[in-house]
Amino acid sequence: MTVRRDFQEPARCRPDLVIGRDELFAGARDHLASGGSVLLHGPAGIGKSTVLRALADEYGGTARTVLRCSATESESHLPFLALADLLGLVLDEVAPRLPAAQRTALESALTGRGESSLQRDGLALRLAVLSALRALAAQGPVLIVADDLQWLDPASAELLGFAARRLEGTPVQLLCAVRTEGQDSQEYDRHLRACPPDTVSFRLGALSRTQVAQLLDHRGHGALSRSTVREIHRTSGGNPLFALELGRALGDSPTPPRPGEPLPVPTSLRALVLSRLDMLSVEARRTLLVASAGARPTPALLRAAGRENAEAECAQAAELGLLATDTQAPAVRFAHPLISAALYAETPAPERRAAHAALSTAASDPIERARHLALATTGTDPEVAARLAEAAALARDRGAPSVAAQLGLLAARHTPADSLPGPEERRLQAAEDAITAGDLDLARDIAREVLTRATAPVERVRAWMIVIDTAGHTMVEVDALFPQALADAGDDPRLLALVHYQLAWRALIVEGDFTEAREAAAHAADLAARGDDRRTELLSLAFQAQAETLMGHPEAPHTIKRALQEPQDPRVAFHHNGAGSARFRWLVMGDQLAEARATITVLLREVRRRGSVESEVHFLRALAEVELHTGQCGRALELAWDSLRLARDCGIGRTASAMLTSLTEASGGDVDRALALAREAVRHAEEDGDQMYLSRALGALGYAQLVAGDPAGTVRSLRRVRRLEQDLGITDPARGRWHGDLAEALVRVGEPAEAQDVIDSSREHALRLGRESVLAVLDRAEALVRAAHGDHEAAVAQLTSAQDRLGKLGYGLEEGRAAFALARLRLRRPEAGLRRATAYDEAGRLFRRCRALPWLRQVEEAVTGPEPVPARPVPDTQGVPDAPDVLAGLAAMERQVAALVMEGATNREIAARLFVSVKTVEATLTRVYRKLGIRSRVDIVRLAAGKRAR
């Protein structure tokens, strides 16, 4: 029986909507499932009630009786109110089972028909509540759900605690939530002591920026820009209630706040966090205003800004809980960022400008002084604008492009229309800084705003390029902008070079045409050289070099040298689309892994110093790729996830980072996660119309499927990759390195002829380009083809050679895979005389060295699985005299499995011979039964016997 309560949430709170609490939710749910009780605690608005309702909704169905109460502060003075909520609707059920004195005391307390108090009826009431719960538990499990324990009336809290401490051994569980404040707060201790002994407490902490973005999106505020979401996260401190209220206020606001302006803090939140401000003196409140206006306020800064009694006034604020106390740090820190934001937001504009004016002379940092000067000034002022532009350049040099963008926008606001440089030029510079900082939404908004006013071709083309650049790999969405950009460019070679550089990317991403992309990049480089635009020339040459490298074009080394010639532009030299990146790709594809690692490490260090987010995403991914090649799977996994988290946070490079993270998970982590990430990458690439990364994402999916024991899935995915790369004009097999995986999967599904075709065509290009590691992997795959045809001596020799070469080239994981295949092959030969554990020693050692956990698990399964079957050629039922004619209509894999069944092989033996999983054999047999109209393995044998008898 579930007791309905009027205060219960009308909407079902599903666990999948408890954003950012997956681990906590799972832990609490598991503890409830084990029979224990749970206490959730954390500050106001942190999401305790949401998690409580979700847990009650999911776990409540297992209880016969669910008792609920939810206290409020305004009703906490009413005695026995929470007890009435809990037991009021079950009183008639339990009262007859209580002793008379207990029944009388309980009815009096719950109904109010008689005078009852803990003082007068204390023992009877305590025993009555305990007996009532035991009576309910005798009929089935009981779950007590109590929210906001801190507001429980004292009488109910005492009675519930008395009973809870004595319920051990009965099927009564508590699911409670209580408000606590600080991170180290022990306020929940007294509530924990009032819970059953098996209660476990879970503290809810702040949400991450990504989780806040998910929450806002789920609640209908997904249109907010990433920069705004970042500010919401900072201001809310990761508190979901505060974040939602800020998001709602921003959604209701017709225009977003300008740089330097506060977020519109709604009245509800101001009242919540500023209720203690009225207890401050006027002077102390002014001191806090100056502190809220400063970036990093200290008592010394406040004194320099004219607040002579700053220490005493801050101490007063700290006593009221408005400031955090930290004896180790000199900074003045608000107890919560929302206090600072709300105080600043509700202060009249003239007082805010006065605070900024005081800080503009008190601050020691030139960037801070310029920012405060701007926020203290109204209207245009060329001197203020110039100081802001200088501060933006300084921030840019310091590697703070986000700060540079904000200062640039402030500079544009204060720049008179007839100035040189003008306001639009400064806005465009701010947009380019925003791109560097990874704030694409802000950059795009600025550029579109410029396009509504600008008439000069140079400003319009520059703005078009920003809009196109911020589209990233979703260029199909901005395809219609290119004719407008070309029209604005006219016959100016500098402007045309900018447009044709982006047209090269369009050819690659939208059209999937490497040849056209290469030609467009070469044309852009020529135009830029004529227009004396070295930066665009270098970017175009680097793009051309990358395209030629992936195409296997003979001009690639020459183009890389041209892109690396002096003079260089530092903005390009360390850019993810620059010559350094092109050279890295050439090194990786040419098996020069040590030099590639050194190159990418330098690039990554520099872009981090510069604050270039997109380049950091790219170079983290590139370094993870090198580590994966060298067999450092654990390190590769860490780097790949760093790249993916950053990509998801800024919305840049998600497809590529998900693809690479899938590869690292399949090699050194969790195969299920690898499959999910690969499918995510495929989905994004298809949605974006991104032909270039679609093939890479499918390649990752095929590899994950191979590791997961699904060779048929691998064949489907990688056959598609093969067609895509043929259409793209990619001939270098070192680009995706999927060819050996496809050949291996084809052998496993019984298509050795197609596997050999893949190997032969790939080997031709690998020989031409000198791709030694690719050739070794192809040899490993070809050995499996030979083994499938029964040529085991040649297969063993080829595998031994491949393993040796891969080890010398430094490809640790591929070396381990060769050793694994070699062990399995040797054990299939009856004359080998090897003990199984000994045979797999080498593969296990290599996989452990690489931390290749999924592959190591395969080794362990091979060691503990059934004895391998002596090697025989894979039967080819086509052309075999005694093969039943009824098998002719089956697919190749199905024919092979059926033929082995006819020989008496078990499912495990068939799996070992065909290099597939037992599940694959079982699924194949199911299809065979359906096609042949039979029900079991015995029927296959009968068919064979009948055919031979005839």
Side-chain angles (χ1 to χ4, degrees):
M1 179 185 79
T2 299
V3 178
R4 180 185 62 80
R5 307 305 299 151
D6 293 337
F7 54 79
Q8 189 173 356
E9 284 285 319
R12 184 172 181 263
C13 184
R14 301 199 313 275
D16 60 324
L17 301 185
V18 184
I19 294 170
R21 308 295 187 195
D22 297 344
E23 187 175 342
L24 181 146
F25 187 90
R29 181 187 56 204
D30 291 347
H31 188 67
L32 287 170
S34 70
S37 297
V38 167
L39 176 66
L40 307 171
H41 68 102
I46 204 66
K48 301 181 298 297
S49 297
T50 301
V51 175
L52 183 87
R53 288 194 297 269
L55 285 167
D57 186 61
E58 179 166 312
Y59 186 71
T62 65
R64 177 185 179 272
T65 306
V66 179
L67 308 175
R68 301 176 186 264
C69 72
S70 185
T72 63
E73 184 178 13
S74 61
E75 297 172 341
S76 61
H77 65 286
L78 299 174
F80 305 120
L81 182 62
L83 189 66
D85 279 335
L86 288 172
L87 298 178
L89 293 184
V90 295
L91 180 61
D92 291 342
E93 179 184 353
V94 299
R97 287 181 259 172
L98 302 180
Q102 294 180 22
R103 181 171 63 251
T104 301
L106 185 60
E107 288 176 343
S108 177
L110 296 184
T111 62
R113 286 195 293 267
E115 290 188 12
S116 181
S117 68
L118 276 179
Q119 225 174 9
R120 196 181 76 177
D121 303 317
L123 181 59
L125 268 175
R126 287 174 171 85
L127 293 175
V129 173
L130 179 60
S131 299
L133 292 175
R134 284 175 172 166
L136 289 171
Q139 304 300 313
V142 177
L143 178 66
I144 298 173
V145 182
D147 199 4
D148 282 319
L149 286 183
Q150 73 278 0
W151 303 132
L152 249 64
D153 62 275
S156 295
E158 167 62 25
L159 292 171
L160 185 59
F162 175 86
R165 291 190 294 272
R166 292 163 174 79
L167 285 171
E168 190 172 0
T170 62
V172 179
Q173 294 172 266
L174 268 66
L175 173 58
C176 308
V178 63
R179 180 185 301 181
T180 57
E181 292 305 326
Q183 178 71 33
D184 300 323
S185 173
Q186 299 299 313
E187 299 169 41
Y188 70 94
D189 273 356
R190 63 185 179 90
H191 297 286
L192 191 61
R193 287 193 293 271
C195 291
D198 59 0
T199 302
V200 172
S201 66
F202 295 85
R203 177 175 176 80
L204 279 73
L207 297 181
S208 69
R209 187 191 305 171
T210 301
Q211 291 164 348
V212 165
Q214 291 173 345
L215 179 66
L216 291 168
D217 183 56
H218 172 66
R219 296 300 179 88
H221 304 303
L224 296 171
S225 69
R226 293 182 185 276
S227 56
T228 301
V229 171
R230 278 197 292 272
E231 187 60 23
I232 288 175
H233 177 260
R234 187 195 66 78
T235 303
S236 69
N239 184 295
L241 172 65
F242 297 171
L244 286 171
E245 287 297 301
L246 291 168
R248 182 185 58 76
L250 284 163
D252 294 341
S253 177
T255 56
R258 295 192 298 179
E261 290 184 343
L263 290 180
V265 181
T267 305
S268 58
L269 289 186
R270 294 189 196 185
L272 179 65
V273 300
L274 298 180
S275 57
R276 287 163 286 187
L277 273 181
D278 293 338
M279 302 173 68
L280 282 176
S281 66
V282 174
E283 293 301 314
R285 183 168 179 144
R286 287 175 180 166
T287 295
L288 288 196
L289 171 62
V290 176
S292 70
R296 293 174 297 277
T298 63
L301 177 65
L302 295 177
R303 286 195 303 274
R307 309 309 305 163
E308 297 177 355
N309 298 317
E311 282 90 346
E313 289 157 356
C314 286
Q316 182 187 356
E319 288 177 5
L320 294 172
L322 294 166
L323 295 180
T325 55
D326 187 350
T327 57
Q328 302 299 319
V332 175
R333 186 166 57 87
F334 283 87
H336 193 281
L338 192 61
I339 297 174
S340 172
L343 171 61
Y344 187 92
E346 80 161 11
T347 301
E351 291 184 37
R352 294 206 300 258
R353 287 197 294 272
H356 285 296
L359 288 168
S360 69
T361 57
S364 58
D365 185 79
I367 293 177
E368 275 297 290
R369 287 200 301 272
R371 186 179 76 87
H372 289 301
L373 179 62
L375 296 174
T377 305
T378 57
T380 60
D381 186 320
E383 183 179 345
V384 172
R387 286 185 59 182
L388 284 164
E390 292 171 3
L394 180 57
R396 198 175 305 121
D397 290 341
R398 288 181 179 178
S402 178
V403 175
Q406 298 298 325
L407 292 169
L409 288 175
L410 288 171
R413 187 197 305 178
H414 291 287
T415 300
D418 56 353
S419 295
L420 288 175
E424 306 309 333
E425 184 175 346
R426 283 181 167 150
R427 286 191 179 91
L428 290 170
Q429 178 61 62
E432 290 167 355
D433 287 328
I435 289 177
T436 302
D439 197 341
L440 303 188
D441 295 336
L442 176 61
R444 181 168 47 249
D445 291 345
I446 295 170
R448 290 193 180 279
E449 182 185 352
V450 168
L451 286 166
T452 63
R453 293 189 299 266
T455 56
V458 65
E459 291 177 345
R460 291 190 61 80
V461 170
R462 194 173 166 190
W464 286 126
M465 294 305 98
I466 290 170
V467 174
I468 291 170
D469 201 22
T470 55
H473 284 254
T474 60
M475 290 190 83
V476 67
E477 297 178 1
V478 295
D479 209 25
L481 303 184
F482 284 99
Q484 301 176 64
L486 285 169
D488 282 331
D491 57 1
D492 187 329
R494 289 177 64 91
L495 301 182
L496 285 170
L498 292 171
V499 181
H500 280 277
Y501 173 68
Q502 293 292 354
L503 281 169
W505 280 104
R506 178 194 175 279
L508 186 61
I509 294 171
V510 179
E511 301 296 333
D513 190 331
F514 268 77
T515 301
E516 183 183 341
R518 173 183 177 270
E519 292 171 356
H523 184 45
D526 291 340
L527 287 167
R530 279 196 278 141
D532 198 25
D533 180 0
R534 183 61 174 163
R535 177 175 184 271
T536 304
E537 182 186 8
L538 289 170
L539 282 171
S540 301
L541 287 170
F543 180 96
Q544 181 184 344
Q546 292 241 36
E548 290 172 349
T549 298
L550 298 176
M551 294 169 67
H553 197 285
E555 286 295 310
H558 174 67
T559 308
I560 291 175
K561 287 181 181 178
R562 287 180 60 197
L564 290 170
Q565 286 175 353
E566 296 294 339
Q568 286 290 312
D569 185 322
R571 293 172 298 172
V572 178
F574 299 103
H575 194 272
H576 58 279
N577 288 326
S581 183
R583 180 172 177 271
F584 163 78
R585 181 56 49 199
W586 175 261
L587 291 168
V588 168
M589 295 175 71
D591 299 325
Q592 300 179 59
L593 299 182
E595 192 172 352
R597 180 192 280 117
T599 299
I600 203 65
T601 301
V602 171
L603 290 171
L604 178 59
R605 185 186 306 121
E606 181 61 22
V607 298
R608 279 175 165 166
R609 188 189 70 79
R610 293 170 177 267
S612 180
V613 173
E614 184 172 6
S615 292
E616 183 177 356
V617 170
H618 184 97
F619 293 149
L620 278 169
R621 192 167 64 239
L623 184 54
E625 181 184 351
V626 175
E627 300 294 2
L628 188 59
H629 284 323
T630 58
Q632 302 297 320
C633 296
R635 174 66 173 151
L637 193 57
E638 292 174 5
L639 290 164
W641 273 108
D642 286 346
S643 172
L644 182 57
R645 280 188 285 265
L646 190 57
R648 286 173 171 171
D649 186 44
C650 65
I652 299 173
R654 291 177 301 173
T655 301
S657 293
M659 175 274 298
L660 199 281
T661 308
S662 171
L663 290 174
T664 60
E665 282 285 358
S667 297
D670 182 270
V671 180
D672 289 336
R673 279 199 298 268
L675 289 166
L677 286 164
R679 291 185 177 116
E680 175 189 332
V682 170
R683 184 177 69 254
H684 283 315
E686 290 177 332
E687 290 172 353
D688 296 344
D690 184 349
Q691 297 298 305
M692 183 174 66
Y693 269 111
L694 178 57
S695 65
R696 296 296 307 274
L698 285 166
L701 178 58
Y703 174 65
Q705 289 167 325
L706 184 69
V707 179
D710 179 17
T714 298
V715 169
R716 285 193 300 272
S717 298
L718 298 187
R719 275 176 175 163
R720 190 177 170 194
V721 175
R722 192 181 187 192
R723 291 192 297 270
L724 278 169
E725 293 205 351
Q726 286 171 348
D727 293 340
L728 287 167
I730 297 173
T731 61
D732 194 332
R735 187 244 183 181
R737 297 177 181 269
W738 49 266
H739 311 75
D741 292 337
L742 175 55
E744 180 177 337
L746 285 166
V747 172
R748 291 189 185 189
V749 300
E751 299 289 353
E754 184 182 346
Q756 190 63 56
D757 178 65
V758 171
I759 292 166
D760 291 342
S761 59
S762 305
R763 181 180 281 134
E764 178 184 351
H765 295 296
L767 284 168
R768 175 174 60 85
L769 297 166
R771 304 305 191 214
E772 293 298 327
S773 63
V774 174
L775 289 168
V777 168
L778 293 174
D779 280 353
R780 184 185 69 206
E782 188 172 49
L784 301 180
V785 176
R786 289 182 170 177
H789 289 304
D791 191 356
H792 294 284
E793 293 295 339
V796 168
Q798 195 168 19
L799 271 174
T800 303
S801 172
Q803 179 185 342
D804 181 62
R805 287 148 55 205
L806 288 166
K808 289 178 179 177
L809 289 167
Y811 286 82
L813 181 58
E814 298 294 353
E815 180 189 4
R817 288 181 62 182
F820 188 30
L822 187 58
R824 297 176 72 173
L825 190 57
R826 283 175 171 163
L827 283 168
R828 290 172 61 196
R829 300 169 63 202
E831 66 275 15
L834 289 175
R835 290 180 60 252
R836 192 182 326 190
T838 305
Y840 287 113
D841 277 353
E842 177 72 359
R845 181 184 66 81
L846 290 171
F847 286 147
R848 277 190 292 273
R849 187 178 70 186
C850 294
R851 197 183 171 276
L853 302 182
W855 288 103
L856 196 56
R857 280 191 286 271
Q858 290 194 31
V859 170
E860 291 168 353
E861 290 171 5
V863 170
T864 58
E867 288 294 329
V869 181
R872 299 172 188 167
V874 175
D876 182 355
T877 58
Q878 291 179 333
V880 177
D882 62 350
D885 294 338
V886 290
L887 301 189
L890 301 178
M893 179 67 168
E894 294 164 353
R895 288 197 304 273
Q896 292 174 12
V897 170
L900 287 168
V901 169
M902 292 174 183
E903 295 179 9
T906 66
N907 286 2
R908 285 190 176 276
E909 290 169 347
I910 295 170
R913 291 194 194 184
L914 299 183
F915 291 95
V916 297
S917 68
V918 174
K919 287 185 179 179
T920 300
V921 175
E922 293 169 349
T924 304
L925 277 174
T926 301
R927 294 194 299 271
V928 170
Y929 300 157
R930 186 174 63 250
K931 290 183 178 181
L932 298 182
I934 59 179
R935 294 184 178 181
S936 69
R937 299 166 58 91
V938 175
D939 292 334
I940 296 178
V941 176
R942 286 173 179 166
L943 283 173
K947 174 66 178 177
R948 293 186 181 109
R950 289 195 296 272

